Amino acid sequence: MIRAEGLVKEFTRPVRRTGPLAGVRSLLTRERVTTRAVDGVSFTVDRGELVGYLGPNGAGKSTTIKMLTGVLVPTAGTVEVDGRVPWRDRTRNARGIGVVFGQRTQLWHDLPLRDSFELVAKLYGLDQPDYQRALGRFTELLDLHEFLDTPVRGLSLGQRMRGDLTAAMLYGPPLLYLDEPTVGLDVVAKARIREFVAETNAVDGTTVVLTTHDLVDVERLCRRVLLIDHGQVLYDGDLAALRRRYVPYRDLVVTLAREDDGPLVAPPGTTVVERPRSARDTARVVVFRFDPAQTPTPAVVAAVTAEHEVVDLDVTDPDLEAVIAEIYSSGRVRA
Amino acid sequence: MAEPPADGAAGTAAREPWRPQLREVSPLRAWWVLMATSLRVVFAYRSNLLNTALGSVALQGSQLLFVGVLLHRFEQVGGWGFGEVALLFAMRLCAHAVCTVPFGQHSAIDFLINEGDYDRLLLRPVSPFLQMLAWRFNPGSLGDLSLGVVVLVVAARLAPVEWTAGAVVLLVLAILAGGLVEAGVQFALSSLSFRLRATWSLKVTVDTTFADFGPYPLGVFGTVGSLALTFVLPLAFIAYLPATALLGRTDELLLPAWAAYSSLLVGPLVFWGGYRAFVHQSRHYDSPAG
Amino acid sequence: MTGPVATSTTGATTAAPAGHLAAQARALVAIGRQSVRSALAVRSEVLVSGVAVLVRVVLVILVWRAVYGSTPEVVGVDRSTAVAYAVLGAVFTNVLNPFWRSSLEVRVRQGRIAVDLLRPVGLVPQTLAQQVGTTAAAVPRCVLAVLLALVIGALQAPAGGVLGLLAFAVSTVLGVAVALLCNLVVAMTAFWTLEVGGALMVYRAVAQFASGALIPLWFMPGWLRGTLEWLPFQAQVFTPLSVYFGTVRGWDAVGAVAVQALWVVLLALLAQLVWSRALHRVVVQGG
Ligand SMILES: Nc1ncnc2c1ncn2[C@@H]1O[C@H](COP(=O)(O)OP(=O)(O)OP(=O)(O)O)[C@@H](O)[C@H]1O
Ligand SMILES: [Mg+2]
């Protein structure tokens, strides 16, 4: 569906001078600085995939999306979407993609949401019966009833985002780009949007490229992630595999019934990890760490409950946030 | 923490995939759909419509007043009398309206580029150029149009022209062509916005130069001035050249007499050239971050 | 733009009353300088506006020379005076570019006015400082234009020697002040209606014509001239230029300058009145 090879985008702008007579000096010079926002990115996305495109601020995510959507012409490299070069065959390409930029709406400010949708339908050549069907469907799915007739400038962020999503999906594009679709939304609104995206991907078979800083989005939606930083791909592959690479263990968190339960017995294949006692803990909490590939979780649970009297237990996966934080701060992915 | 990917599909398993058939939409239709919407928005704010149209009338009217006072004192300018200058003025203003009513939104280009709204135009399956033209509707252009028509009707009576069918056709075609010249020039200037970011003052300068120096017979600017206002800044093609044909004054041209009719051809050419320049330069658009 | 202003702001709030005034003055200077800088920020804009005023000056010279043709004098005005007047008229129009909109209207429309109101410097001084800054940024290109006109012999030194030059300078400053105050009053209508675009265009057209920037009042029919003399616009351009060309001289010149000063006072009072109304409105309606 998408094939990018060696994509590069450079931005050039004149040097801004400071200090005395800065104005006059910048009038007289032609010095320019170049930033490489995307620096040789290659990847492919297959039909029906849902890929998370992740990276720290300024990594070049939005710039890549803009090249994929035909907004920007790449400085070097090639990109093909469904066999077309987006910027060259822009109009054709535009009919087959839906795009949502969370930071910037594409709806018409002065028009009620409904009129914006109608305009989209007309511009994409959607027949009236189809449009009515789609409108009904999306109004239901995203619960737009309440504000369909409100002008866009009067919508809250979450409402506007749902409007933008609808406008992007109204004409049933096989490919959907989402650049931070959940930014600034509350928990419920985020959940609704996630559900919508998952459904679109599952039911319609829509290919989705998703950019986000919310790792819950990623955990809920993406099997595959592409990590980039400084315009270069750091990792491209399975999210679970990435996580295992960093933290090949799982934790069994156990709350003991009694404060003094004798010496702790760690079952084979596990180690006891001290956890500093927090104010929240009303009883003694112990963490058993194990590699699920070596020791199956039920075995560990069974062994621990056999040895100790337990009031509560919880199996936690390693924290994705910690993994991502380490990758971002080190600027690379462990081999 | 790690829940399985949301299977929203479960709840709506009955839903069929949404893959509608899309019709082809002609560029003209797309333009009209957008333009009609812009018009609807403008006409919804009627007081602003009137207000802005009035502003435009005042602005063009002050120039008319100036020329009026001048002729009141001097009786002629560059050998042209009141009726002749009035016709020239009217043709220029009507041509200006032909430029501003349908094409005036080139003035939004700086804003579109710097605020990143041009992104939106690129994401729609319609030529961004057409979308720009339909971006908003400037009610001021209706002021240009109304004043232009009124002055033209009056000037047509004052001017020493025999209004045969041929003359009327020439007048109408010349006004249309003049509008195309002005629009083409503004498109070309707009295309520079993709690199320079701001061409607002350049465009305003050219616009006011056309408005302020359009009502004079070109002779007043001397040989160098006339040539510059013909070939560098094509002011002559907007109204002056065809006006000499209507007024039977082609003998004062520095060019052969047939040049008086050349604007009919030059208009579409400049328009096309300006459009091509815009399309060509738009490749340099670098969408602002964020 | 927030940079220098913000720093002066903190200074002003903590300073004693005496230092308070100084801090305010510093803040205003900072605002003015900032608007000079932003007027000169984009190179292509600077070049274009420079070339634009030169081209305009040349074109008006050509037009007025042609208008006169071989006539030596019309209504007592000779050809060289008319040409020179047109040159200075074009230059004045360029300097008084605030015939364009002031930043006030834009800031009201974008709701940024609330931030401006929080600053310890009054909004009116802020706006004026900005306009002065923009006006100052236009001075270099206008000096160039005047030099060009002098070189090609379209302009002569002012009548009345050094004293004449001095009178012209005073009259010019007052003319600019009248223009800025007029702009301010008109821009403040933005507090009542957001649709000031049209009103500003009308104002600009009227100001340009009635100030004598396009055509001297000398050439106007008696009734028109009589009317215009009662309006503040002629004090913006026509009075300074009349002083320049010595068409008013001696006590007449003093009188003309006094009329300008009177307009400054009247307009300042009017601005104050409109402003207090506007403030009331902002406070009551929350902008
Ligand atoms: N139009 C532009 N001109 C100059 N530099 C730009 C432009 N657009 C983006 N950049 C630069 O390119 C780099 C990548 O920007 P981009 O918007 O793609 O980042 P991002 O990964 O989307 O970041 P974020 O998570 O903050 O949205 C940044 O350093 C940015 O400053
Ligand atoms: Mg981004």
Side-chain angles (χ1 to χ4, degrees):
Chain A
M1 191 91 193
I2 304 178
R3 213 166 50 75
E5 246 174 64
L7 266 191
V8 173
K9 183 68 197 180
E10 287 180 348
F11 294 108
T12 317
R13 48 182 35 187
V15 179
R16 257 295 136 71
R17 302 182 161 274
T18 49
L21 287 182
V24 177
R25 281 195 297 152
S26 38
L27 276 183
L28 297 178
T29 54
R30 265 216 154 271
E31 238 178 289
R32 300 172 78 79
V33 276
T34 301
T35 32
R36 222 166 222 245
V38 173
D39 188 7
V41 164
S42 306
F43 59 86
T44 56
V45 176
D46 289 332
R47 204 171 289 276
E49 267 195 287
L50 199 167
V51 181
Y53 195 56
L54 314 180
N57 290 132
K61 303 181 296 293
S62 300
T63 306
T64 311
I65 302 243
K66 284 173 186 169
M67 287 192 281
L68 299 181
T69 51
V71 168
L72 286 174
V73 182
T75 311
T78 55
V79 51
E80 254 178 45
V81 175
D82 221 3
R84 287 188 284 263
V85 178
W87 61 269
R88 199 176 293 137
D89 204 355
R90 211 190 42 75
T91 313
R92 284 262 130 241
N93 183 59
R95 278 163 70 92
I97 62 171
V99 187
V100 175
F101 284 107
Q103 312 271 11
R104 196 181 283 149
T105 180
Q106 292 176 61
L107 302 166
W108 284 261
H109 258 261
D110 300 318
L111 298 185
L113 200 51
R114 190 193 294 277
D115 294 19
S116 276
F117 293 158
E118 214 156 294
L119 213 47
V120 167
K122 283 182 184 159
L123 291 180
Y124 286 81
L126 195 62
D127 281 325
Q128 193 60 24
D130 276 342
Y131 165 63
Q132 289 304 343
R133 207 130 38 89
L135 184 64
R137 186 170 275 179
F138 290 114
T139 306
E140 205 58 52
L141 276 177
L142 287 166
D143 201 8
L144 310 173
H145 303 278
E146 267 176 48
F147 48 89
L148 258 186
D149 295 302
T150 313
V152 170
R153 75 178 112 73
L155 296 182
S156 81
L157 189 60
Q159 295 172 334
R160 200 212 78 202
M161 208 72 87
R162 284 184 266 162
D164 260 311
L165 260 179
T166 304
M169 290 306 297
L170 213 51
Y171 46 93
L175 176 54
L176 178 62
Y177 297 99
L178 301 170
D179 191 348
E180 302 195 33
T182 54
V183 67
L185 303 195
D186 71 44
V187 200
V188 179
K190 278 184 181 177
R192 190 189 308 248
I193 289 199
R194 275 177 210 136
E195 200 177 310
F196 178 82
V197 173
E199 205 214 292
T200 297
N201 177 246
V203 178
D204 301 328
T206 307
T207 312
V208 181
V209 176
L210 168 74
T211 281
T212 181
H213 289 296
D214 186 331
L215 295 176
V216 182
D217 291 350
V218 179
E219 289 194 281
R220 298 285 160 84
L221 293 171
C222 311
R223 170 164 300 165
R224 174 181 166 202
V225 293
L226 254 156
L227 269 172
I228 66 162
D229 195 7
H230 298 296
Q232 296 183 326
V233 177
L234 297 183
Y235 179 83
D236 178 358
D238 208 39
L239 179 62
L242 177 71
R243 200 200 300 262
R244 266 201 306 281
R245 218 185 269 190
Y246 274 79
V247 265
Y249 54 76
R250 199 172 269 178
D251 285 341
L252 174 67
V253 183
V254 174
T255 309
L256 299 180
R258 281 189 306 279
E259 194 65 28
D260 183 20
D261 198 30
L264 281 177
V265 182
T270 71
T271 48
V272 174
V273 186
E274 272 315 314
R275 196 178 89 169
R277 192 172 178 143
S278 80
R280 263 201 343 225
D281 299 337
T282 49
R284 184 161 173 213
V285 176
V286 181
V287 177
F288 298 92
R289 180 162 290 178
F290 60 99
D291 181 352
Q294 307 284 321
T295 325
T297 310
V300 179
V301 174
V304 169
T305 47
E307 285 295 332
H308 301 282
E309 197 177 329
V310 165
V311 285
D312 191 13
L313 56 78
D314 193 8
V315 181
T316 62
D317 255 337
D319 189 7
L320 182 61
E321 198 149 329
V323 174
I324 297 291
E326 184 184 331
I327 296 175
Y328 285 1
S329 56
S330 67
R332 56 191 194 84
V333 172
R334 277 189 215 159
Chain B
M1 192 69 195
E3 295 167 32
D7 54 349
T12 33
R15 188 156 95 75
E16 292 162 30
W18 179 236
R19 281 277 175 278
Q21 278 293 314
L22 302 182
R23 265 179 298 108
E24 287 293 323
V25 180
S26 76
L28 210 63
R29 175 168 161 74
W31 171 81
W32 175 243
V33 164
L34 291 167
M35 194 66 170
T37 307
S38 301
L39 284 170
R40 204 147 44 88
V41 170
V42 163
F43 279 88
Y45 299 94
R46 200 131 329 154
S47 66
N48 187 43
L49 171 78
L50 246 128
N51 202 312
T52 315
L54 219 67
S56 268
V57 168
L59 220 52
Q60 303 289 349
S62 73
Q63 208 58 39
L64 183 64
L65 212 56
F66 165 51
V67 174
V69 170
L70 204 66
L71 284 163
H72 162 78
R73 278 294 170 217
F74 293 85
E75 274 153 25
Q76 54 174 1
V77 178
W80 289 37
F82 194 86
E84 291 164 309
V85 173
L87 181 66
L88 182 57
F89 182 95
M91 286 173 69
R92 208 300 299 180
L93 186 51
C94 286
H96 180 63
V98 168
C99 167
T100 53
V101 174
F103 311 122
Q105 282 312 301
H106 63 76
S107 60
I109 190 67
D110 279 2
F111 172 84
L112 290 175
I113 289 177
N114 293 317
E115 299 297 314
D117 282 70
Y118 198 76
D119 280 13
R120 302 174 48 170
L121 311 194
L122 288 169
L123 292 171
R124 301 273 176 227
V126 183
S127 143
F129 179 76
L130 288 181
Q131 290 183 72
M132 171 185 78
L133 294 184
W135 177 250
R136 287 217 175 115
F137 182 79
N138 174 10
S141 61
L142 293 180
D144 296 338
L145 185 64
S146 358
L147 185 66
V149 170
V150 169
V151 178
L152 185 66
V153 169
V154 176
R157 286 157 191 272
L158 296 176
V161 178
E162 173 107 30
W163 289 111
T164 60
V168 172
V169 170
L170 176 59
L171 176 75
V172 171
L173 289 182
I175 286 172
L176 293 178
L180 294 184
V181 171
E182 188 175 340
V185 170
Q186 292 290 358
F187 293 162
L189 297 177
S190 304
S191 78
L192 299 177
S193 275
F194 289 106
R195 284 167 178 270
L196 299 179
R197 304 286 151 99
T199 48
W200 185 82
S201 63
L202 184 59
K203 296 204 295 185
V204 169
T205 301
V206 169
D207 185 76
T208 49
T209 306
F210 283 163
D212 296 353
F213 299 101
Y216 304 106
L218 217 57
V220 305
F221 301 109
T223 308
V224 177
S226 318
L227 290 177
L229 290 177
T230 307
F231 296 111
V232 182
L233 200 61
L235 173 64
F237 296 100
I238 294 179
Y240 171 70
L241 284 173
T244 59
L246 285 168
L247 294 166
R249 283 181 161 275
T250 49
D251 49 332
E252 72 176 49
L253 296 181
L254 295 169
L255 306 170
W258 56 261
Y261 300 90
S262 63
S263 73
L264 302 188
L265 191 65
V266 169
L269 280 181
V270 172
F271 186 81
W272 176 249
Y275 165 68
R276 290 307 309 170
F278 186 92
V279 170
H280 189 259
Q281 289 299 312
S282 67
R283 285 188 50 176
H284 297 288
Y285 174 63
D286 59 2
S287 151
Chain C
M1 107 168 273
T2 41
V5 177
T7 44
S8 324
T9 301
T10 41
T13 39
T14 51
H20 184 66
L21 269 185
Q24 288 218 341
R26 271 203 306 280
L28 288 179
V29 171
I31 292 173
R33 281 172 64 157
Q34 188 54 43
S35 58
V36 174
R37 215 168 302 146
S38 58
L40 299 177
V42 183
R43 176 184 24 201
S44 54
E45 295 274 295
V46 175
L47 292 181
V48 166
S49 35
V51 172
V53 67
L54 296 182
V55 168
R56 172 164 286 265
V57 161
V58 170
L59 290 178
V60 297
I61 291 172
L62 292 174
V63 167
W64 279 94
R65 284 189 177 159
V67 163
Y68 263 83
S70 51
T71 328
E73 206 181 272
V74 174
V75 288
V77 182
D78 64 20
R79 184 175 127 138
S80 64
T81 305
V83 169
Y85 184 102
V87 168
L88 289 181
V91 169
F92 265 67
T93 311
N94 200 278
V95 176
L96 298 182
N97 224 0
F99 276 154
W100 288 109
R101 57 187 48 189
S102 102
S103 54
L104 184 66
E105 177 244 335
V106 180
R107 283 179 295 164
V108 172
R109 198 147 36 90
Q110 299 180 341
R112 280 192 280 157
I113 206 74
V115 181
D116 296 336
L117 281 170
L118 291 177
R119 294 190 182 138
V121 189
L123 186 67
V124 170
Q126 275 182 56
T127 307
L128 285 176
Q130 258 166 16
Q131 292 203 13
V132 170
T134 316
T135 307
V139 166
R141 59 172 181 255
C142 290
V143 169
L144 270 185
V146 166
L147 286 179
L148 174 75
L150 284 170
V151 167
I152 60 180
L155 187 67
Q156 316 80 38
V162 178
L163 210 59
L165 188 63
L166 203 67
F168 171 63
V170 171
S171 182
T172 299
V173 169
L174 287 170
V176 171
V178 172
L180 294 187
L181 285 168
C182 282
N183 295 334
L184 181 67
V185 171
V186 175
M188 279 197 288
T189 54
F191 285 105
W192 281 268
T193 163
L194 290 183
E195 299 168 357
V196 289
L200 284 178
M201 278 165 86
V202 173
Y203 161 72
R204 213 183 113 213
V206 171
Q208 221 181 84
F209 183 79
S211 65
L214 283 178
I215 185 166
L217 271 56
W218 304 318
F219 293 125
M220 294 186 185
W223 58 269
L224 186 56
R225 182 171 179 181
T227 316
L228 296 187
E229 273 170 356
W230 286 98
L231 296 176
F233 303 110
Q234 46 89 27
Q236 299 177 2
V237 180
F238 184 64
T239 306
L241 294 196
S242 300
V243 171
Y244 189 98
F245 293 106
T247 49
V248 292
R249 54 179 81 209
W251 285 111
D252 284 349
V254 175
V257 170
V259 170
Q260 283 185 302
L262 188 66
W263 274 119
V264 170
V265 173
L266 285 178
L267 286 166
L269 288 176
L270 180 64
Q272 194 55 49
L273 181 73
V274 176
W275 169 237
S276 61
R277 290 279 161 135
L279 193 61
H280 181 69
R281 198 180 160 79
V282 172
V283 172
V284 170
Q285 302 199 341

